[in-house]
Amino acid sequence: MTTALPDAGRSTRPSILTVDDDPSVSRAVARDLRRQYGESYRIVRAESGAQALEALREIKLRGEEVAALLADYRMPQMSGIEFLEEAMDLFPVAKRVLLTAYADTDAAIQAINVVDLDHYLLKPWDPPEQKLYPVLDDLLASWTAADRQPVRQVKVIGHRWSARSYEVRDFLARNAVPFRWYELDDTDCEAKRLLAAAGHGEADIPVVVTPEGQPLACPSDAELAARVGLTTTPSTDFYDLIVIGAGPAGLGAAVYGGSEGLRTVLVERLAAGGQAGTSSRIENYLGFPDGVSGEQLTERARRQAQKFNVEMLTTRQVVSLEPRGSARVVRFDDGTELSAHTVILATGVSYRSLQAPGLGELAGRGVYYGASTTEGPNCKDQDVYLVGGANSAGQAAMYFSRHAKRVVLVVRGDSLEHSMSRYLIDQLAGPGNIEVMTCTEVVGGAGDGHLETLTLRHNKTGESTTVPASWLFAFIGAAPRTDWLNGIVARDDNGFVLAGPDLVTEGGLPAGWELERPPYHLETSLPGVFVAGDVRADSVKRVASAVGEGAMAVTLVHRYLERS
């Protein structure tokens, strides 16, 4: 029997991790693994999913590898499937094996779809020479032969208070592109040496160095996307379904469209995830009892969409939509077009800008809209001000409380009760460094090159106070991105898209509607064009409802195609 060996020359042995809540079974698995693989692999044993995840995080921090994960299906608190699903985020190429009893083979079949399971083993596996080692030999040989070289990182050289430097880092982070940040300061730093080697000066920042070593001076999002491997060009010019916007509603529509056999393309102007993608922790989304970050949820949805052959186009700005016979045609800002039988509008909303004097010119220089996880470590031991009283602001406050000395939540209303979920309100009292200032507004800001002070006003007493501040994150209002739809589909007075029953007049059909049937529930005033998520008038502004509407819209797309 030939045992798969890891790459020669590596300084540390890769690990094989086994987790089972039954101590006797756990010891037996580890014993059999050490007997066969102990010379070439480090065998790590855990007795709960949480313990195993902690071990994986330590291995990750040490920069070591994990070759295989063996998890028992029936564990309390966290099942083997749930453990493997979370472990995928830490070691996505590790081979995954589920240990099951004969009665649990249905669970193993489920795991094949949920966690891309590589194999399942029935307990007991005696003798291991026949039932355990041959399976692991094949899996370890496959793992050893795979290309596991560290991902070559993009390098970003810039200044902390450069607005474009922040935008580039935020763009890369939200598109899951690995990068390393080199900050220019007043000392003889590595960033200056890299900048000189790239042939540029500080006037050119940010400078991005691609994994191939090519420097890009202050690149546009489109140029950056093309150079770091993101897809920007469609493979064909006609689809069954075009989904515009890759927030939760758009990702939900793309996954369901692709899974049901529709030729689907997902078009996003910036990065997948929308506002939810920037959330540090979502704790009321079904199926994640311990919470999930917006980044994790977005990445899983993106992988799921790609699994169903959905094309994903980044940095493509849609500027118009029009019917041409039975086709629906979208035009991009570069003049190119894309056609489909149907379109789903899932463009979401954006945060409104603060109109206080002095803040406009400081955007990206201490004043930010939405939360960027890239800025958390930069706020260490400083005060952070957040404006807003909804869930997004509460989630950001919890995130920044782990880094900042003090987090101040500035709320215009007299309480959080009507705007924030109860679980978040309760959590805000936990860290001890979060302060909620009610009945307060930001009425001014100032600074030389970056934010240095804020002026706050109590809206009942009228008293104003100026405080030192370098960080302000705003989460106010919801402005729909629908100006480009003017005259194309019906919208309400605030720009949100009307659909279904909201379009029906006293006569039973919308004005100008050419079909005999009324619009479907999520169908806009242009037949074959549907809307889902926050951009729909009177929608529920929650991640779960947006995903549900995306899925529902695909069902209505099918109905439309069947009757067209």
Side-chain angles (χ1 to χ4, degrees):
M1 181 182 298
T2 301
T3 301
L5 298 177
D7 295 350
R10 292 189 179 270
S11 59
T12 57
R13 292 177 298 167
S15 297
I16 298 174
L17 181 142
T18 173
V19 52
D20 195 305
D21 67 300
D22 186 326
S24 61
V25 175
S26 179
R27 286 192 294 268
V29 177
R31 179 199 63 217
D32 288 343
L33 292 175
R34 288 194 183 97
R35 182 185 304 162
Q36 182 72 2
Y37 306 107
E39 291 185 5
S40 303
Y41 296 87
R42 191 163 70 96
I43 309 303
V44 180
R45 182 173 72 89
E47 295 182 2
S48 71
Q51 188 183 82
L53 287 174
E54 184 61 30
L56 289 180
R57 294 186 185 101
E58 292 181 6
I59 294 170
K60 187 77 172 181
L61 287 174
R62 292 197 299 265
E64 298 173 5
E65 295 181 295
V66 173
L69 302 163
L70 286 75
D72 179 56
Y73 169 63
R74 287 185 179 271
M75 293 190 295
Q77 284 82 48
M78 180 183 293
S79 72
I81 294 177
E82 292 169 334
F83 161 72
L84 290 173
E85 189 174 11
E86 293 206 30
M88 284 174 63
D89 293 332
L90 294 169
F91 292 97
V93 299
K95 297 301 178 181
R96 294 176 283 276
V97 179
L98 194 68
L99 304 177
T100 71
Y102 180 79
D104 294 327
T105 51
D106 287 345
I109 295 171
Q110 173 191 354
I112 292 173
N113 295 322
V114 174
V115 296
D116 294 331
L117 194 69
D118 293 293
H119 207 280
Y120 67 90
L121 293 171
L122 294 177
K123 297 188 295 184
W125 56 87
D126 291 330
E129 289 78 10
Q130 295 180 19
K131 298 183 178 180
L132 176 63
Y133 299 153
V135 171
L136 278 183
D137 281 348
D138 289 343
L139 293 178
L140 293 172
S142 173
W143 179 85
T144 302
D147 180 10
R148 307 185 316 280
Q149 294 302 313
V151 177
R152 292 182 297 172
Q153 288 187 330
V154 173
K155 299 179 178 67
V156 182
I157 310 161
H159 194 281
R160 176 187 297 185
W161 304 121
S162 159
R164 184 56 189 159
S165 294
Y166 162 75
E167 291 168 356
V168 165
R169 288 185 292 139
D170 189 54
F171 176 84
L172 293 173
R174 293 183 61 188
N175 281 287
V177 176
F179 73 94
R180 184 172 179 182
W181 165 242
Y182 294 85
E183 182 181 340
L184 290 164
D185 55 33
D186 296 330
T187 63
D188 181 23
C189 60
E190 180 67 14
K192 290 184 178 180
R193 289 189 284 273
L194 277 174
L195 197 60
H200 290 283
E202 293 192 26
D204 301 322
I205 64 169
V207 171
V208 177
V209 182
T210 68
E212 295 75 27
Q214 182 180 9
L216 308 172
C218 201
S220 66
D221 288 346
E223 182 182 9
L224 192 57
R227 298 298 182 90
V228 300
L230 300 176
T231 303
T232 60
T233 305
S235 63
T236 186
D237 57 3
F238 197 91
Y239 294 83
D240 294 320
L241 172 62
I242 298 172
V243 181
I244 304 175
L251 286 167
V255 167
Y256 277 85
S259 68
E260 295 180 14
L262 297 175
R263 291 172 299 165
T264 303
V265 60
L266 179 60
V267 179
E268 170 56 45
R269 67 182 186 88
L270 181 61
Q275 287 186 5
T278 67
S279 175
S280 58
R281 204 73 180 165
I282 302 169
E283 299 203 43
N284 59 353
Y285 189 74
L286 185 68
F288 292 90
D290 297 320
V292 61
S293 73
E295 182 181 3
Q296 289 175 316
L297 190 63
T298 297
E299 181 57 24
R300 292 182 181 189
R302 179 162 43 194
R303 289 204 310 256
Q304 200 171 10
Q306 290 172 336
K307 172 184 176 181
F308 294 122
N309 300 314
V310 174
E311 286 188 42
M312 304 184 71
L313 308 182
T314 307
T315 65
R316 300 309 301 267
Q317 179 75 43
V318 179
V319 296
S320 72
L321 167 66
E322 63 177 274
R324 291 185 192 167
S326 62
R328 301 294 177 260
V329 181
V330 299
R331 182 179 293 109
F332 298 114
D333 57 356
D334 62 359
T336 59
E337 295 180 345
L338 202 57
S339 302
H341 292 300
T342 58
V343 172
I344 294 177
L345 303 173
T347 51
V349 295
S350 59
Y351 292 116
R352 298 186 188 277
S353 300
L354 290 166
Q355 300 302 311
L359 295 183
E361 55 268 31
L362 296 175
R365 303 172 186 268
V367 177
Y368 306 94
Y369 293 93
S372 172
T373 54
T374 60
E375 297 306 302
N378 292 330
C379 301
K380 183 175 176 59
D381 298 327
Q382 300 181 56
D383 289 349
V384 172
Y385 285 80
L386 309 176
V387 181
N391 279 10
S392 53
Q395 290 158 355
M398 294 300 299
Y399 169 72
F400 282 111
S401 70
R402 301 200 297 266
H403 301 278
K405 178 178 67 176
R406 185 173 69 121
V407 176
V408 181
L409 192 58
V410 180
V411 183
R412 184 171 57 182
D414 56 10
S415 77
L416 296 172
E417 298 292 335
H418 301 297
S419 58
M420 189 178 292
S421 294
R422 184 72 247 174
Y423 81 91
L424 266 175
I425 296 175
D426 293 340
Q427 285 183 359
L428 292 178
N433 62 340
I434 298 177
E435 176 184 346
V436 180
M437 298 181 65
T438 58
C439 302
T440 305
E441 299 178 60
V442 176
V443 295
D448 183 11
H450 65 89
L451 179 67
E452 295 177 333
T453 64
L454 285 174
T455 301
L456 308 176
R457 182 180 65 202
H458 194 282
N459 58 26
K460 289 189 176 179
T461 66
E463 181 181 356
S464 295
T465 306
T466 298
V467 296
S470 296
W471 304 96
L472 175 67
F473 296 86
F475 306 82
I476 56 170
R481 303 187 184 103
T482 59
D483 289 346
W484 61 280
L485 290 170
N486 187 32
I488 301 171
V489 299
R491 300 177 297 156
D492 68 12
D493 293 340
N494 295 313
F496 291 92
V497 177
L498 298 169
D502 292 334
L503 292 168
V504 176
T505 61
E506 292 183 2
L509 295 174
W513 185 261
E514 298 179 354
L515 302 180
E516 294 182 359
R517 64 165 178 83
Y520 296 132
H521 185 68
L522 297 178
E523 194 170 18
T524 71
S525 59
L526 178 58
V529 176
F530 300 82
V531 62
D534 290 359
V535 73
R536 183 178 66 82
D538 296 325
S539 64
V540 178
K541 305 298 188 287
R542 289 290 185 269
V543 176
S545 60
V547 173
E549 285 194 6
M552 183 192 301
V554 172
T555 299
L556 300 175
V557 163
H558 276 293
R559 190 179 302 175
Y560 172 84
L561 293 174
E562 290 168 358
R563 299 184 180 182
S564 296

